[in-house]
Structures are given as C-alpha cells and as structure tokens.
C-alpha cells in the first residue's frame, strides 16, 4: 500500500506491525523475497525518497532499532550474508554519501555503556580465515585527494 498524499502537510504513513500479546511473545513480522530456482532470489530495497528543492531538506532517515526492556537484556541486530557453495562469500558495504558543503559525512561505531560495576561494551573486528593459506588482511586507511 501507499500512504496518503498532501500538498500542504506531511504525507500519510504506512505501518505494518505484528500483533500484541499480554501473556506471551508479541507477533512477528517477516519481509522475505521470492526464491529463484534457476538463478537469484529477489531483492529487498529499503530507501527514502530524494529531498525536495526547499532549503534545509534532507533525504530522509532509516532507523533500525530494537525496543527497550524494563527487566532483562536489550535486543539484538544482525547484518549477515548467506554462505556460498562453490562461490565467494557475501559482501557488506557501509558507505556515507558525498557532499559539496561543510565537512564530510560521518560513520560512528559506539559500544554500549553500563551504570553497573562491569566494563563498558566491546568493539571487535575479526578477519576471515582460510584453511589452506592465511587469514584476511585488516587495514584502516585515510583518503588523499586524487585529482585524476
């Protein structure tokens, strides 16, 4: 479906939500592509529309988050590609778009904090391994201007 249109106010919203439960787990929501028996499975594209021409407009926001809890652990978010048989493993790419005013975009990875007597959260990056050779390389680089 599509949300309503407006020429003077915000456009209409579309909400898809799982069901409520008072005594057990709430309802789930799945978004899954179709199976391609001969080639690839389908594509899921989540994007915002371009910003309008007015001043101060931004091209939208995509938020992925879990809810809070009053007793127990917070949620879990995983970005995982599938395994490949007779092929190369998957690819996860995080890229901030290019701008032409002010400073460049930002990527922040922030571990969780605690008010308990334990240590703060952990950030861990691990390269892949190879049984016949060595593990993958790990590099952190800065960009230099390239006039080409």
């Amino acid at each position: 479906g599509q949300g309503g249109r407006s020429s003077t106010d915000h456009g209409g919203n579309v909400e898809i939500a799982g069901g409520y439960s008072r005594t057990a787990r709430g309802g789930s929501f799945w978004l899954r592509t179709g199976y391609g028996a001969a080639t690839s499975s389908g594509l899921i594209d989540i994007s915002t529309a371009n910003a309008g021409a007015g001043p101060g407009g931004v091209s939208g926001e995509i938020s992925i988050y879990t809810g809070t809890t009053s007793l127990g652990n917070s949620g879990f978010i995983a970005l995982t590609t599938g395994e490949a048989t007779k092929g190369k493993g998957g690819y996860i790419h995080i890229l901030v778009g290019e701008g032409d005013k002010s400073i460049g975009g930002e990527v922040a990875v922030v571990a969780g904090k605690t008010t308990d007597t334990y240590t703060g959260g952990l950030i861990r990056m691990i390269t892949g391994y190879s049984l016949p050779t060595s593990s993958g390389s790990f590099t952190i680089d800065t960009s230099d201007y390239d006039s080409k």
Side-chain angles (χ1 to χ4, degrees), residues 96-106:
V96 176
E98 183 177 319
D100 63 1
K101 297 281 186 191
S102 192
I103 63 173
E106 180 178 326

Side-chain angles (χ1 to χ4, degrees), residues 108-125:
V109 178
V110 181
K113 66 179 182 178
T114 181
T115 56
D116 203 342
T117 58
Y118 295 94
T119 62
L122 169 72
I123 295 177
R124 177 184 292 158
M125 295 184 182

Side-chain angles (χ1 to χ4, degrees), residues 5-148:
R5 297 172 183 247
S6 172
S7 60
T8 59
D9 201 354
H10 298 290
N13 297 327
V14 174
E15 179 178 337
I16 302 172
Y20 166 82
S21 173
R22 187 167 31 126
T23 59
R25 177 183 220 153
S28 297
F29 168 73
W30 290 282
L31 182 63
R32 184 175 295 155
T33 66
Y35 173 72
T39 60
S40 304
S41 59
L43 167 81
I44 295 177
D45 185 348
I46 300 173
S47 60
T48 65
N50 293 337
V58 296
S59 61
E61 176 180 328
I62 296 176
S63 298
I64 300 173
Y65 57 89
T66 66
T68 61
T69 179
S70 57
L71 182 62
N73 297 330
S74 179
F76 177 79
I77 296 175
L79 295 175
T80 308
T81 67
E83 295 184 12
T85 301
K86 297 183 181 173
K88 184 179 174 182
Y91 184 73
I92 296 176
H93 188 149
I94 299 172
L95 174 67
V96 176
E98 183 177 319
D100 63 1
K101 297 281 186 191
S102 192
I103 63 173
E106 180 178 326
V107 174
V109 178
V110 181
K113 66 179 182 178
T114 181
T115 56
D116 203 342
T117 58
Y118 295 94
T119 62
L122 169 72
I123 295 177
R124 177 184 292 158
M125 295 184 182
I126 303 170
T127 65
Y129 68 89
S130 169
L131 289 176
T133 61
S134 63
S135 63
S137 61
F138 182 85
T139 60
I140 297 177
D141 296 320
T142 60
S143 288
D144 290 323
Y145 174 74
D146 186 1
S147 61
K148 296 177 186 173

